[in-house]
Amino acid sequence: MTEPTALTAFTAHQLLAAYEKGELSPVEAARAVLDRAEEIQPTLNAFVSIDREGALDQARAAEERWRRREPQGLLDGVPVTVKDLLLTRGTPTLRGSYSISAQGSWDEDSPSVARLREHGAVLVGKTTTPEFGWKGVTDSPRFGITRNPHDPTRTSGGSSGGSAAAVAAGAGPLSVGTDGGGSVRIPASFCGVFGMKPTYGRIPLYPSSPFGTLAHAGPMTRDAADAALMLDVMAGEADHRDWSQSPVTDDGVRSGLNDGVRGLRIAYSPTLGGQVNVHPEVAARVRDAVSALVSLGAYVEEADPDFADPVEAFHTLWFSGAARVAQGLNREQREALDPGLREIVGAGARMSALDYLAAVDARMELGRRMGAFHRTYDVLVTPTLPVTAFEAGAEVPRSLGMRRWTGWTPFTYPFNLTQQPAASVPCGTDAAGLPVGVQLVAARHRDALVLRVAQALYGAGVAGA
């Protein structure tokens, strides 16, 4: 892969500063990003659709507003991509599935997309997802395999793999992903970008996910500062379509972003108490990030949260959600599903209401344990994943003998069960040049703290693939 140009490597903050000074036009930025998206698409397959005409129309309107010194909101003229699970007005949302028809009016935005549009963001295109976002890599029967910008023979991760690949490759500085078991953080780690799952309910979701309250929308960006800006935009207004949205009672996550980590109590859990086999190169890069936090004045202690792997409870909730996805499909549509999805649909259909409620009980207990843990520690640090990106087109690394994607994501899905804010920060590469991510987790509603620690890592020069 060719590297992004200087312009397509700009962050949102850099673009906005250039617009303010009159050094750059939103139309110039949009053209550069669109050209880059079209350049990478044959190799990476990060996009379902690219809206050149629509994006340039939006960019021209933004250019005129900046000319008048009247920008519209906080992201006027900044190119943004949207994962193809989120409704986007004027564009079909196909969710990687042959079971969805592209016909229809497509006249509604999901809440996060609506907020971005209201703030003047330029919507470049829709990014790929596995079918209905069901797994931790990105390939689907309808749109094929999405690949990693650092090595196109490797997976981008998933399920927000198209978004991560687009941001990493220079096809827009911002993307909206979704995360039901790690689906923002997994591809962020594999592609070397920043990805955050905020506290459940901070960003409203509509339509509701079939995976219920495991699912979050979140920003995928080149750094923590852009993510904070994007998160404040997407969470900045109540949306009546999501009754589970939490009211935002703080000053926004940008408040205190640069306050540093001095005096914070940080728990470093390299293996969740010996439960996870982490590749040595991943472990080394994460230790480097932890050492940086110590040098910045944080109190760091090696400590493990008190829980056993909750994968069975997660599977019950996840597989039940998959069964719900397929409930209205006919036989022909079911046969056209991703084979792995079809398997978990069958497993979910065999589960009872009592099975589901037992998983809810396990989830509540996990939340209690993490609540107690955070009475002692402000932030938990773990690897985002125990491995770097493996071969594209596979659900699991072929060398590890696993069955499902949850086998190699034990650091991510627990915090969907607990609804805590969690982010993946790039912290270097392995010997093959593949990115490594470090995960930061805080108590519910302490989203600003996660971003503050991430910002400190960027400031220290640790963050970056």
Side-chain angles (χ1 to χ4, degrees), residues 3-346:
E3 294 298 318
T5 64
L7 178 53
T8 58
F10 273 24
T11 66
H13 277 87
Q14 289 171 327
L15 288 175
L16 291 165
Y19 300 160
E20 174 70 27
K21 295 174 184 175
E23 297 173 347
L24 181 65
S25 152
V27 174
E28 292 176 275
R31 282 198 181 114
V33 164
L34 288 161
D35 289 347
R36 182 62 174 166
E38 291 168 354
E39 177 190 358
I40 67 170
Q41 180 61 9
T43 301
L44 300 184
N45 189 33
F47 288 90
V48 170
S49 60
I50 299 170
D51 185 10
R52 176 173 280 272
E53 183 177 343
L56 287 174
D57 284 346
Q58 295 167 55
R60 290 184 192 103
E63 181 178 66
E64 176 59 21
R65 290 190 294 268
W66 278 106
R67 187 192 65 78
R68 298 196 311 265
R69 315 296 287 177
E70 296 174 354
Q72 176 181 308
L74 298 174
L75 291 172
D76 205 5
V78 176
V80 177
T81 58
V82 178
K83 183 180 182 179
D84 195 39
L85 293 183
L86 296 165
L87 295 177
T88 305
R89 192 174 72 237
T91 304
T93 299
L94 302 174
R95 300 178 172 89
S97 181
Y98 284 120
S99 67
I100 297 177
S101 171
Q103 301 304 309
S105 56
W106 300 106
D107 57 1
E108 191 172 21
D109 284 329
S110 288
S112 54
V113 179
R115 301 295 87 77
L116 291 166
R117 200 186 294 273
E118 289 163 6
H119 280 261
V122 173
L123 302 181
V124 170
K126 303 296 290 289
T127 57
T128 50
T129 175
E131 194 165 17
F132 297 108
W134 81 271
K135 60 183 175 180
V137 294
T138 299
D139 57 71
S140 70
R142 187 161 189 166
F143 295 109
I145 297 170
T146 299
R147 299 176 181 276
N148 195 307
H150 296 268
D151 179 350
T153 69
R154 308 295 182 108
T155 181
S156 63
S159 63
S160 306
S163 289
V167 172
L174 309 178
S175 193
V176 192
T178 63
D179 189 317
S183 289
V184 161
R185 291 159 289 154
I186 293 165
S189 181
F190 277 179
C191 293
V193 300
F194 182 86
M196 181 173 178
K197 176 188 76 69
T199 300
Y200 178 81
R202 190 174 187 107
I203 298 174
L205 272 178
Y206 174 85
S208 60
S209 170
F211 301 106
T213 59
L214 294 172
H216 309 56
M220 305 186 74
T221 63
R222 296 209 178 100
D223 62 22
D226 273 9
L229 176 61
M230 191 180 180
L231 181 52
D232 276 349
V233 166
M234 293 191 292
E237 185 176 324
D239 194 296
H240 70 276
R241 296 172 293 175
D242 183 0
W243 61 266
S244 67
Q245 181 183 7
S246 302
V248 176
T249 58
D250 55 31
D251 294 328
V253 294
R254 289 172 293 160
S255 178
L257 183 65
N258 294 303
D259 285 355
V261 299
R262 184 167 299 280
L264 290 181
R265 300 162 301 169
I266 293 178
Y268 166 44
S269 179
T271 63
L272 292 180
Q275 297 183 80
V276 185
N277 183 21
V278 179
H279 190 281
E281 290 184 86
V282 171
R285 298 292 79 73
V286 173
R287 279 197 304 272
D288 291 343
V290 170
S291 296
L293 294 173
V294 173
S295 69
L296 292 169
Y299 298 110
V300 178
E301 179 181 350
E302 190 165 319
D304 301 307
D306 179 26
F307 65 78
D309 186 356
V311 68
E312 292 306 321
F314 180 80
H315 279 172
T316 298
L317 299 172
W318 196 253
F319 295 177
S320 298
R324 178 63 176 163
V325 166
Q327 194 170 30
L329 303 184
N330 60 37
R331 173 177 285 186
E332 183 179 357
Q333 289 171 322
R334 283 173 175 260
E335 289 176 352
L337 291 174
D338 179 324
L341 175 58
R342 196 162 57 241
E343 285 184 24
I344 72 165
V345 164

